[in-house]
Amino acid sequence: MIGAIAGDVIGSSYEFHPIKSVEFTLFNRFSRFTDDTVCTIALADAILTGGDYTKILRSYCMEYPDAGYGGRFWQWLNSDAAAPYNSFGNGSAMRVSPVGFACTTETEVLEQARRSAVITHNHPEGVKGAQATALAIFLAARGADKQSIKTEIASRFNYDLDRKIEDIRPDYQFDETCQGSVAEAILAFLESNSYENCIRLAVSLGGDADTQACIAGGIAQAFYREVPSFIEQETLTRLTPHMRETISAFRNRYGW
Ligand SMILES: [Mg+2]
């Protein structure tokens, strides 16, 4: 799951300063982990411990209150009721990568992705975004080629994957909905020729850069089998000991 987290860290400095190019510095002094990383690691912990998604997500997020949460999510974190709020934001997709890496059957992936989403993102598009991302990771991790991943995700979730990044890029703007950002992140992966190139393509859309690079980065790690070590190191140094501990426990258990 380090592939998703590195995408978040690399994309973080471009979220509010969008760029429309693949030529940029991967890490700079503003690169940091954001909500995408916190929520991803929380889900990994929930999977590792068999714990409750809601409880663990809330506990991690409160540990890092300045990670840049959306307004509605922040209200959810701070309310005792913690009822889902019918969100179709891409928060369900950005945090789901551990599900794709840990589950052993397609049915399980879809069910766990749904369960991890509905605690907040119970709108059908919110659930779909999480399931599409997790299933793409699951298929890539099991050696599926890009054409089969594309066909499976496009047909099952009705995402338009017959587009090119260079055609989307000029008019693309910040869009934090699942329906306006998940397919584009998957396209960045499909067009890429390496992990790093995938992250560059995702950020180059000039949209919700950290989240789209996080979504694309999880799939790219699964497909290309590894994240370049300098990217992994630069990312890990920007995390906390508690985060690194959970990442390492997850890797020891699931190999990713
Ligand atoms: Mg973020």
Side-chain angles (χ1 to χ4, degrees):
M1 87 182 138
I2 190 71
I5 295 168
D8 174 43
V9 173
I10 294 169
S12 64
S13 66
Y14 302 102
E15 181 181 7
F16 300 113
H17 300 91
I19 48 165
K20 296 280 184 183
S21 164
V22 293
E23 301 298 327
F24 58 87
T25 313
L26 290 177
F27 296 93
N28 59 50
R29 66 195 173 93
F30 301 109
S31 308
R32 64 176 190 116
F33 71 80
T34 79
D35 53 343
D36 308 55
T37 291
V38 177
C39 296
T40 296
I41 295 176
L43 252 60
D45 193 319
I47 290 168
L48 275 166
T49 59
D52 180 66
Y53 283 130
T54 300
K55 221 167 120 187
I56 296 179
L57 188 59
R58 282 160 69 108
S59 141
Y60 267 86
C61 291
M62 294 322 272
E63 193 178 328
Y64 306 103
D66 302 320
Y69 306 101
R72 296 279 303 283
F73 186 75
W74 182 248
Q75 280 174 21
W76 178 83
L77 284 175
N78 285 284
S79 73
D80 292 333
Y85 47 94
N86 209 31
S87 176
F88 46 78
N90 53 20
S92 57
M94 83 193 185
R95 69 191 183 212
V96 80
S97 61
V99 167
F101 286 119
C103 291
T104 52
T105 67
E106 211 168 290
T107 313
E108 194 193 353
V109 171
L110 295 171
E111 173 58 12
Q112 289 302 325
R114 189 192 63 78
R115 284 188 48 206
S116 76
V118 295
I119 55 174
T120 49
H121 293 56
N122 52 330
H123 187 284
E125 289 292 343
V127 173
K128 198 167 107 173
Q131 289 182 321
T133 304
L135 187 61
I137 290 171
F138 174 82
L139 294 172
R142 268 148 196 80
D145 59 27
K146 284 187 181 169
Q147 187 54 50
S148 359
I149 297 171
K150 178 182 165 182
T151 308
E152 177 69 17
I153 300 298
S155 60
R156 191 189 279 268
F157 301 103
N158 199 25
Y159 278 163
D160 180 4
L161 299 178
D162 284 314
R163 293 174 290 162
K164 289 265 164 236
I165 294 290
E166 65 172 6
D167 298 330
I168 300 170
R169 188 187 288 126
D171 297 323
Y172 192 74
Q173 290 182 335
F174 187 92
D175 187 329
E176 59 182 1
T177 67
C178 273
Q179 53 273 47
S181 66
V182 174
E184 289 76 5
I186 295 172
L187 279 167
F189 155 68
L190 290 171
E191 263 185 49
S192 67
N193 54 31
S194 68
Y195 173 84
E196 182 179 330
N197 178 238
C198 169
I199 297 300
R200 289 184 180 280
L201 284 168
V203 171
S204 80
L205 284 164
D208 190 357
D210 56 335
T211 296
Q212 287 184 290
C214 178
I215 294 168
I219 310 171
Q221 181 193 358
F223 185 82
Y224 297 111
R225 321 312 283 182
E226 60 177 8
V227 172
S229 63
F230 81 96
I231 291 182
E232 180 167 331
Q233 288 317 312
E234 288 285 343
T235 300
L236 288 173
T237 59
R238 288 169 170 83
L239 305 183
T240 67
H242 183 202
M243 289 173 158
R244 287 194 289 265
E245 211 174 280
T246 307
I247 291 169
S248 161
F250 189 85
R251 182 173 279 171
N252 289 340
R253 173 90 62 91
Y254 300 107
W256 292 97

